[in-house]
Amino acid sequence: QIRLIQLAAHPLCRHCELLNLVTPAREVDHIIPPHGDFCLQRDLGNLQSLCQPHHSAKTRHQGKDGPLLLGCNHKTGHPIYA
């Protein structure tokens, strides 16, 4: 249900928007991984809508604690992590 609320409020990929691209979001992602923190898991301010390629790229590069997402490479559109 939280996923539907997020996608209804923010139907476009947040990372693509930073590149001035219009891409429908299909995934809802935790900005800060909750790691069992129920409040953080349910915090709507901790969610972002992403397209599948950006969500997959973030997930692939994210370790247990996850690197900090700095933004996107403006030439390639790929996420940039600290």
Side-chain angles (χ1 to χ4, degrees):
Q1 190 173 17
I2 289 177
R3 179 182 181 277
L4 297 177
I5 293 169
Q6 174 67 23
L7 290 175
H10 304 280
L12 301 178
C13 175
R14 183 176 183 188
H15 292 183
C16 288
E17 286 182 311
L18 293 172
L19 299 169
N20 294 319
L21 300 173
V22 177
T23 308
R26 301 279 184 249
E27 308 286 339
V28 174
D29 177 64
H30 290 97
I31 298 167
I32 301 169
H35 298 299
D37 182 332
F38 184 78
C39 292
L40 194 57
Q41 184 176 8
R42 299 290 182 194
D43 181 1
L44 294 177
N46 187 40
L47 299 177
Q48 60 183 347
S49 301
L50 298 177
C51 64
Q52 193 277 326
H54 276 126
H55 185 262
S56 292
K58 180 180 182 248
T59 302
R60 226 180 8 257
H61 290 94
Q62 193 169 24
K64 182 180 178 191
D65 294 323
L68 177 64
L69 176 66
L70 299 177
C72 291
N73 179 308
H74 292 282
K75 292 182 182 178
T76 67
H78 293 106
I80 300 170
Y81 298 96

